[in-house]
Amino acid sequence: MDYSQQVNVILFDGVCNLCNGVVKLMFKYDKKAVFSFAALESEVAKRLLNEVGMKNNVPDSVVVINGSNALVKSDAALYIVKRLGGFFQLLVVFKILPRQLRDKLYDAVAKRRYRWFGKQESCMMPTPEHRKRFL
């Protein structure tokens, strides 16, 4: 399958309970199916990261692939909430903070996510109804 034409793909830590919870939340609020998903640990993610020039630099972060661009950390999170619309757009106010500060806050949560939320032994298995949105 050619993934190079995919837009708005969220690459997430497939074993992280926080990340999996956010993906499940996306199914509830992303009614227009703007986003597709792939676990960072997957072959699809490796190919997409390679296509955007991040072959040897797999971040410990959520990544949004938007065509040939990649957004990471707070930029990725803010892009997601902006595209979701509704009350999520209120979070875009954090864009006023310098990226360096936003990313430090992001990194602080990311560093502790397993301790605070736990992790699974393997990547989540989507339900049959959600499977079509996974690459």
Side-chain angles (χ1 to χ4, degrees), residues 19-73:
C19 304
N20 286 317
V22 169
V23 170
K24 289 175 185 174
L25 185 78
M26 298 287 294
F27 288 123
K28 182 175 180 179
Y29 292 102
D30 183 17
K31 301 286 188 203
K32 295 180 183 175
V34 171
F35 294 101
S36 297
F37 306 93
L40 274 167
E41 300 83 359
S42 70
E43 289 301 316
V44 170
K46 289 175 187 163
R47 278 183 267 168
L48 287 169
L49 290 168
N50 186 41
E51 289 174 15
V52 296
M54 297 177 73
K55 179 180 182 180
N56 297 319
N57 187 21
V58 178
D60 188 21
S61 164
V62 65
V63 179
V64 174
I65 304 291
N66 180 288
S68 61
N69 299 313
L71 301 168
V72 296
K73 298 186 181 190

Short mmCIF file of all heavy atoms in Angstrom, two decimals, residues 19-73:
data_model
loop_
_atom_site.label_atom_id
_atom_site.label_comp_id
_atom_site.label_asym_id
_atom_site.label_seq_id
_atom_site.Cartn_x
_atom_site.Cartn_y
_atom_site.Cartn_z
N CYS A 19 -1.60 7.50 25.49
CA CYS A 19 -1.70 7.65 24.04
C CYS A 19 -2.90 6.88 23.48
O CYS A 19 -3.65 7.38 22.64
CB CYS A 19 -0.42 7.18 23.37
SG CYS A 19 1.05 8.03 23.97
N ASN A 20 -3.08 5.65 23.95
CA ASN A 20 -4.22 4.85 23.51
C ASN A 20 -5.54 5.51 23.92
O ASN A 20 -6.52 5.48 23.17
CB ASN A 20 -4.14 3.44 24.07
CG ASN A 20 -3.10 2.61 23.37
OD1 ASN A 20 -2.98 2.65 22.15
ND2 ASN A 20 -2.32 1.87 24.13
N GLY A 21 -5.57 6.10 25.10
CA GLY A 21 -6.77 6.80 25.55
C GLY A 21 -7.10 7.99 24.66
O GLY A 21 -8.26 8.24 24.34
N VAL A 22 -6.05 8.71 24.24
CA VAL A 22 -6.26 9.85 23.35
C VAL A 22 -6.79 9.36 21.99
O VAL A 22 -7.70 9.96 21.41
CB VAL A 22 -4.96 10.67 23.19
CG1 VAL A 22 -5.10 11.70 22.07
CG2 VAL A 22 -4.61 11.35 24.50
N VAL A 23 -6.24 8.27 21.48
CA VAL A 23 -6.73 7.72 20.21
C VAL A 23 -8.20 7.32 20.33
O VAL A 23 -9.01 7.63 19.46
CB VAL A 23 -5.86 6.54 19.74
CG1 VAL A 23 -6.50 5.81 18.56
CG2 VAL A 23 -4.47 7.03 19.36
N LYS A 24 -8.56 6.68 21.42
CA LYS A 24 -9.97 6.31 21.63
C LYS A 24 -10.86 7.55 21.71
O LYS A 24 -11.98 7.56 21.19
CB LYS A 24 -10.11 5.46 22.89
CG LYS A 24 -9.52 4.08 22.72
CD LYS A 24 -9.55 3.29 24.02
CE LYS A 24 -8.85 1.95 23.84
NZ LYS A 24 -8.73 1.23 25.09
N LEU A 25 -10.36 8.60 22.33
CA LEU A 25 -11.09 9.87 22.39
C LEU A 25 -11.28 10.46 21.00
O LEU A 25 -12.33 11.02 20.68
CB LEU A 25 -10.33 10.84 23.30
CG LEU A 25 -11.00 12.17 23.59
CD1 LEU A 25 -12.08 11.98 24.65
CD2 LEU A 25 -9.98 13.18 24.07
N MET A 26 -10.26 10.30 20.17
CA MET A 26 -10.34 10.80 18.80
C MET A 26 -11.49 10.15 18.04
O MET A 26 -12.17 10.81 17.26
CB MET A 26 -9.03 10.53 18.05
CG MET A 26 -7.82 11.21 18.62
SD MET A 26 -7.78 12.96 18.34
CE MET A 26 -7.62 12.99 16.59
N PHE A 27 -11.72 8.87 18.25
CA PHE A 27 -12.82 8.20 17.56
C PHE A 27 -14.16 8.82 17.93
O PHE A 27 -15.07 8.90 17.12
CB PHE A 27 -12.83 6.71 17.86
CG PHE A 27 -11.73 5.97 17.19
CD1 PHE A 27 -10.84 5.22 17.92
CD2 PHE A 27 -11.57 6.03 15.81
CE1 PHE A 27 -9.82 4.53 17.30
CE2 PHE A 27 -10.54 5.35 15.18
CZ PHE A 27 -9.67 4.60 15.93
N LYS A 28 -14.26 9.28 19.15
CA LYS A 28 -15.51 9.88 19.61
C LYS A 28 -15.72 11.28 19.03
O LYS A 28 -16.84 11.64 18.66
CB LYS A 28 -15.51 9.94 21.14
CG LYS A 28 -16.77 10.49 21.74
CD LYS A 28 -16.74 10.42 23.25
CE LYS A 28 -18.03 10.99 23.83
NZ LYS A 28 -18.05 10.92 25.28
N TYR A 29 -14.65 12.06 18.92
CA TYR A 29 -14.80 13.47 18.55
C TYR A 29 -14.37 13.80 17.12
O TYR A 29 -14.69 14.87 16.62
CB TYR A 29 -14.04 14.37 19.53
CG TYR A 29 -14.70 14.35 20.89
CD1 TYR A 29 -14.17 13.60 21.93
CD2 TYR A 29 -15.87 15.07 21.12
CE1 TYR A 29 -14.78 13.58 23.17
CE2 TYR A 29 -16.48 15.05 22.35
CZ TYR A 29 -15.93 14.30 23.38
OH TYR A 29 -16.55 14.26 24.60
N ASP A 30 -13.65 12.93 16.47
CA ASP A 30 -13.24 13.16 15.08
C ASP A 30 -14.29 12.57 14.16
O ASP A 30 -14.06 11.59 13.45
CB ASP A 30 -11.86 12.55 14.83
CG ASP A 30 -11.33 12.82 13.43
OD1 ASP A 30 -11.85 13.72 12.74
OD2 ASP A 30 -10.39 12.11 13.02
N LYS A 31 -15.46 13.17 14.17
CA LYS A 31 -16.62 12.64 13.44
C LYS A 31 -16.41 12.59 11.93
O LYS A 31 -16.97 11.76 11.25
CB LYS A 31 -17.87 13.50 13.73
CG LYS A 31 -18.24 13.57 15.20
CD LYS A 31 -18.84 12.29 15.67
CE LYS A 31 -19.38 12.48 17.08
NZ LYS A 31 -19.48 11.28 17.82
N LYS A 32 -15.60 13.51 11.40
CA LYS A 32 -15.36 13.55 9.96
C LYS A 32 -14.20 12.64 9.54
O LYS A 32 -13.81 12.64 8.38
CB LYS A 32 -15.09 14.98 9.51
CG LYS A 32 -16.29 15.89 9.70
CD LYS A 32 -15.98 17.30 9.25
CE LYS A 32 -17.18 18.20 9.52
NZ LYS A 32 -16.88 19.60 9.19
N ALA A 33 -13.66 11.92 10.48
CA ALA A 33 -12.53 11.01 10.22
C ALA A 33 -11.38 11.73 9.51
O ALA A 33 -10.85 11.27 8.51
CB ALA A 33 -13.00 9.79 9.43
N VAL A 34 -11.00 12.87 10.06
CA VAL A 34 -9.91 13.67 9.51
C VAL A 34 -8.58 12.94 9.69
O VAL A 34 -7.69 13.04 8.85
CB VAL A 34 -9.86 15.05 10.23
CG1 VAL A 34 -8.61 15.83 9.86
CG2 VAL A 34 -11.10 15.86 9.90
N PHE A 35 -8.45 12.19 10.78
CA PHE A 35 -7.19 11.54 11.11
C PHE A 35 -7.22 10.03 10.90
O PHE A 35 -8.23 9.38 11.13
CB PHE A 35 -6.83 11.81 12.58
CG PHE A 35 -6.53 13.25 12.86
CD1 PHE A 35 -7.47 14.07 13.47
CD2 PHE A 35 -5.30 13.80 12.53
CE1 PHE A 35 -7.20 15.40 13.73
CE2 PHE A 35 -5.02 15.13 12.80
CZ PHE A 35 -5.97 15.94 13.40
N SER A 36 -6.07 9.52 10.47
CA SER A 36 -5.79 8.09 10.46
C SER A 36 -4.72 7.86 11.51
O SER A 36 -4.09 8.82 11.98
CB SER A 36 -5.27 7.64 9.09
OG SER A 36 -6.25 7.85 8.10
N PHE A 37 -4.46 6.60 11.84
CA PHE A 37 -3.56 6.30 12.95
C PHE A 37 -2.61 5.17 12.60
O PHE A 37 -2.94 4.27 11.83
CB PHE A 37 -4.37 5.87 14.19
CG PHE A 37 -5.42 6.87 14.57
CD1 PHE A 37 -6.71 6.77 14.10
CD2 PHE A 37 -5.10 7.93 15.40
CE1 PHE A 37 -7.67 7.70 14.45
CE2 PHE A 37 -6.04 8.87 15.75
CZ PHE A 37 -7.34 8.75 15.28
N ALA A 38 -1.44 5.21 13.23
CA ALA A 38 -0.48 4.11 13.17
C ALA A 38 0.38 4.19 14.43
O ALA A 38 0.72 5.29 14.88
CB ALA A 38 0.39 4.19 11.93
N ALA A 39 0.71 3.06 14.97
CA ALA A 39 1.60 3.02 16.13
C ALA A 39 3.01 3.34 15.69
O ALA A 39 3.45 2.91 14.60
CB ALA A 39 1.55 1.64 16.79
N LEU A 40 3.73 4.10 16.50
CA LEU A 40 5.13 4.44 16.19
C LEU A 40 5.99 3.19 16.00
O LEU A 40 6.97 3.22 15.29
CB LEU A 40 5.73 5.29 17.32
CG LEU A 40 5.50 6.79 17.24
CD1 LEU A 40 5.86 7.47 18.55
CD2 LEU A 40 6.27 7.40 16.09
N GLU A 41 5.57 2.11 16.62
CA GLU A 41 6.34 0.86 16.55
C GLU A 41 6.10 0.09 15.25
O GLU A 41 6.77 -0.90 14.98
CB GLU A 41 5.96 -0.05 17.73
CG GLU A 41 6.20 0.55 19.10
CD GLU A 41 5.10 1.48 19.61
OE1 GLU A 41 4.09 1.72 18.90
OE2 GLU A 41 5.24 1.97 20.74
N SER A 42 5.16 0.53 14.43
CA SER A 42 4.76 -0.22 13.24
C SER A 42 5.66 0.05 12.04
O SER A 42 6.36 1.07 11.98
CB SER A 42 3.32 0.11 12.86
OG SER A 42 3.22 1.44 12.36
N GLU A 43 5.61 -0.86 11.08
CA GLU A 43 6.35 -0.69 9.83
C GLU A 43 5.82 0.51 9.04
O GLU A 43 6.57 1.21 8.39
CB GLU A 43 6.27 -1.97 8.98
CG GLU A 43 7.07 -3.12 9.54
CD GLU A 43 8.55 -2.79 9.68
OE1 GLU A 43 9.14 -2.20 8.75
OE2 GLU A 43 9.13 -3.11 10.75
N VAL A 44 4.52 0.72 9.10
CA VAL A 44 3.92 1.87 8.42
C VAL A 44 4.51 3.16 8.95
O VAL A 44 4.88 4.06 8.18
CB VAL A 44 2.38 1.87 8.62
CG1 VAL A 44 1.75 3.16 8.13
CG2 VAL A 44 1.75 0.69 7.92
N ALA A 45 4.62 3.28 10.26
CA ALA A 45 5.20 4.48 10.88
C ALA A 45 6.64 4.66 10.43
O ALA A 45 7.06 5.78 10.10
CB ALA A 45 5.11 4.41 12.39
N LYS A 46 7.39 3.59 10.40
CA LYS A 46 8.79 3.68 9.96
C LYS A 46 8.88 4.20 8.53
O LYS A 46 9.71 5.05 8.21
CB LYS A 46 9.48 2.32 10.08
CG LYS A 46 9.71 1.90 11.51
CD LYS A 46 10.27 0.51 11.61
CE LYS A 46 10.31 0.09 13.08
NZ LYS A 46 10.46 -1.34 13.25
N ARG A 47 7.99 3.71 7.65
CA ARG A 47 7.99 4.18 6.26
C ARG A 47 7.60 5.65 6.17
O ARG A 47 8.21 6.42 5.44
CB ARG A 47 7.05 3.34 5.40
CG ARG A 47 7.72 2.03 4.96
CD ARG A 47 6.81 1.27 4.07
NE ARG A 47 6.10 0.38 4.99
CZ ARG A 47 5.04 -0.33 4.70
NH1 ARG A 47 4.50 -0.27 3.52
NH2 ARG A 47 4.49 -1.11 5.59
N LEU A 48 6.57 6.05 6.91
CA LEU A 48 6.14 7.44 6.88
C LEU A 48 7.21 8.37 7.43
O LEU A 48 7.46 9.44 6.87
CB LEU A 48 4.83 7.61 7.67
CG LEU A 48 3.58 7.06 6.99
CD1 LEU A 48 2.41 7.04 7.97
CD2 LEU A 48 3.22 7.88 5.77
N LEU A 49 7.85 7.98 8.53
CA LEU A 49 8.92 8.79 9.10
C LEU A 49 10.08 8.91 8.12
O LEU A 49 10.68 9.98 7.98
CB LEU A 49 9.38 8.21 10.44
CG LEU A 49 8.38 8.35 11.58
CD1 LEU A 49 8.81 7.50 12.77
CD2 LEU A 49 8.22 9.81 11.99
N ASN A 50 10.37 7.84 7.42
CA ASN A 50 11.43 7.87 6.41
C ASN A 50 11.06 8.87 5.29
O ASN A 50 11.90 9.65 4.86
CB ASN A 50 11.64 6.47 5.83
CG ASN A 50 12.80 6.42 4.88
OD1 ASN A 50 13.85 7.02 5.12
ND2 ASN A 50 12.63 5.68 3.80
N GLU A 51 9.81 8.86 4.88
CA GLU A 51 9.36 9.75 3.80
C GLU A 51 9.45 11.23 4.17
O GLU A 51 9.60 12.07 3.29
CB GLU A 51 7.92 9.41 3.40
CG GLU A 51 7.80 8.09 2.66
CD GLU A 51 6.37 7.69 2.40
OE1 GLU A 51 5.46 8.53 2.53
OE2 GLU A 51 6.16 6.51 2.05
N VAL A 52 9.34 11.54 5.46
CA VAL A 52 9.44 12.95 5.88
C VAL A 52 10.82 13.29 6.42
O VAL A 52 11.01 14.34 7.04
CB VAL A 52 8.34 13.33 6.91
CG1 VAL A 52 6.96 13.21 6.29
CG2 VAL A 52 8.45 12.51 8.18
N GLY A 53 11.78 12.41 6.20
CA GLY A 53 13.16 12.69 6.58
C GLY A 53 13.50 12.42 8.03
O GLY A 53 14.49 12.94 8.53
N MET A 54 12.71 11.60 8.70
CA MET A 54 12.98 11.29 10.11
C MET A 54 13.36 9.82 10.28
O MET A 54 13.09 9.21 11.31
CB MET A 54 11.75 11.62 10.96
CG MET A 54 11.38 13.08 10.95
SD MET A 54 9.88 13.42 11.89
CE MET A 54 10.48 13.23 13.57
N LYS A 55 14.00 9.25 9.29
CA LYS A 55 14.31 7.82 9.26
C LYS A 55 15.04 7.35 10.51
O LYS A 55 14.66 6.37 11.13
CB LYS A 55 15.15 7.51 8.03
CG LYS A 55 15.56 6.06 7.92
CD LYS A 55 16.39 5.82 6.69
CE LYS A 55 16.75 4.35 6.60
NZ LYS A 55 17.55 4.07 5.41
N ASN A 56 16.09 8.05 10.89
CA ASN A 56 16.91 7.61 12.02
C ASN A 56 16.62 8.41 13.28
O ASN A 56 17.40 8.39 14.21
CB ASN A 56 18.39 7.72 11.65
CG ASN A 56 18.75 6.81 10.52
OD1 ASN A 56 18.29 5.67 10.45
ND2 ASN A 56 19.54 7.31 9.58
N ASN A 57 15.52 9.11 13.28
CA ASN A 57 15.21 9.99 14.40
C ASN A 57 13.76 9.79 14.84
O ASN A 57 12.96 10.72 14.74
CB ASN A 57 15.47 11.44 13.99
CG ASN A 57 15.34 12.40 15.14
OD1 ASN A 57 15.42 12.01 16.30
ND2 ASN A 57 15.11 13.66 14.83
N VAL A 58 13.43 8.60 15.31
CA VAL A 58 12.06 8.33 15.76
C VAL A 58 11.87 9.02 17.10
O VAL A 58 12.52 8.69 18.08
CB VAL A 58 11.78 6.82 15.89
CG1 VAL A 58 10.39 6.57 16.39
CG2 VAL A 58 12.01 6.13 14.56
N PRO A 59 11.01 10.03 17.13
CA PRO A 59 10.85 10.81 18.36
C PRO A 59 10.05 10.07 19.42
O PRO A 59 9.25 9.19 19.11
CB PRO A 59 10.09 12.05 17.88
CG PRO A 59 9.34 11.59 16.69
CD PRO A 59 10.16 10.51 16.05
N ASP A 60 10.30 10.42 20.65
CA ASP A 60 9.50 9.90 21.75
C ASP A 60 8.34 10.88 21.95
O ASP A 60 8.26 11.58 22.94
CB ASP A 60 10.36 9.80 23.01
CG ASP A 60 9.64 9.09 24.14
OD1 ASP A 60 8.67 8.36 23.87
OD2 ASP A 60 10.03 9.29 25.31
N SER A 61 7.50 10.95 20.93
CA SER A 61 6.47 11.97 20.87
C SER A 61 5.38 11.52 19.92
O SER A 61 5.61 10.68 19.05
CB SER A 61 7.09 13.28 20.35
OG SER A 61 6.12 14.19 19.93
N VAL A 62 4.23 12.12 20.07
CA VAL A 62 3.21 11.98 19.04
C VAL A 62 3.73 12.70 17.80
O VAL A 62 4.43 13.70 17.91
CB VAL A 62 1.85 12.55 19.50
CG1 VAL A 62 1.91 14.04 19.71
CG2 VAL A 62 0.74 12.20 18.53
N VAL A 63 3.45 12.14 16.64
CA VAL A 63 3.86 12.75 15.39
C VAL A 63 2.62 12.85 14.51
O VAL A 63 1.86 11.89 14.41
CB VAL A 63 4.93 11.90 14.66
CG1 VAL A 63 5.33 12.54 13.33
CG2 VAL A 63 6.15 11.68 15.53
N VAL A 64 2.44 14.00 13.89
CA VAL A 64 1.38 14.13 12.89
C VAL A 64 2.06 14.28 11.55
O VAL A 64 2.88 15.17 11.35
CB VAL A 64 0.47 15.35 13.15
CG1 VAL A 64 -0.52 15.53 12.01
CG2 VAL A 64 -0.28 15.20 14.47
N ILE A 65 1.73 13.37 10.65
CA ILE A 65 2.22 13.45 9.28
C ILE A 65 1.12 14.12 8.48
O ILE A 65 -0.02 13.66 8.44
CB ILE A 65 2.52 12.05 8.69
CG1 ILE A 65 3.51 11.27 9.56
CG2 ILE A 65 3.00 12.17 7.24
CD1 ILE A 65 4.91 11.79 9.59
N ASN A 66 1.47 15.23 7.86
CA ASN A 66 0.53 15.98 7.04
C ASN A 66 1.18 16.12 5.68
O ASN A 66 1.97 17.04 5.45
CB ASN A 66 0.24 17.34 7.67
CG ASN A 66 -0.74 18.15 6.86
OD1 ASN A 66 -0.39 18.64 5.79
ND2 ASN A 66 -1.93 18.27 7.35
N GLY A 67 0.89 15.18 4.79
CA GLY A 67 1.54 15.17 3.48
C GLY A 67 3.02 14.90 3.65
O GLY A 67 3.41 13.87 4.18
N SER A 68 3.86 15.84 3.25
CA SER A 68 5.31 15.65 3.37
C SER A 68 5.88 16.34 4.60
O SER A 68 7.09 16.42 4.77
CB SER A 68 6.01 16.19 2.11
OG SER A 68 5.76 17.58 1.97
N ASN A 69 5.02 16.84 5.48
CA ASN A 69 5.45 17.52 6.69
C ASN A 69 5.21 16.65 7.92
O ASN A 69 4.27 15.86 7.94
CB ASN A 69 4.69 18.84 6.88
CG ASN A 69 4.92 19.79 5.74
OD1 ASN A 69 6.04 20.00 5.31
ND2 ASN A 69 3.85 20.36 5.21
N ALA A 70 6.04 16.85 8.93
CA ALA A 70 5.86 16.15 10.20
C ALA A 70 5.84 17.18 11.32
O ALA A 70 6.69 18.07 11.37
CB ALA A 70 6.98 15.15 10.44
N LEU A 71 4.87 17.05 12.19
CA LEU A 71 4.79 17.89 13.39
C LEU A 71 5.01 16.97 14.58
O LEU A 71 4.49 15.85 14.62
CB LEU A 71 3.42 18.54 13.49
CG LEU A 71 3.01 19.45 12.33
CD1 LEU A 71 1.53 19.79 12.42
CD2 LEU A 71 3.84 20.71 12.35
N VAL A 72 5.75 17.46 15.57
CA VAL A 72 6.02 16.67 16.77
C VAL A 72 5.70 17.48 18.01
O VAL A 72 5.54 18.69 17.97
CB VAL A 72 7.49 16.18 16.82
CG1 VAL A 72 7.78 15.23 15.67
CG2 VAL A 72 8.46 17.34 16.82
N LYS A 73 5.61 16.76 19.11
CA LYS A 73 5.42 17.32 20.44
C LYS A 73 4.24 18.29 20.48
O LYS A 73 3.15 17.97 20.00
CB LYS A 73 6.71 17.95 20.95
CG LYS A 73 7.84 16.95 21.09
CD LYS A 73 9.04 17.56 21.73
CE LYS A 73 10.15 16.52 21.84
NZ LYS A 73 11.24 16.99 22.65
#
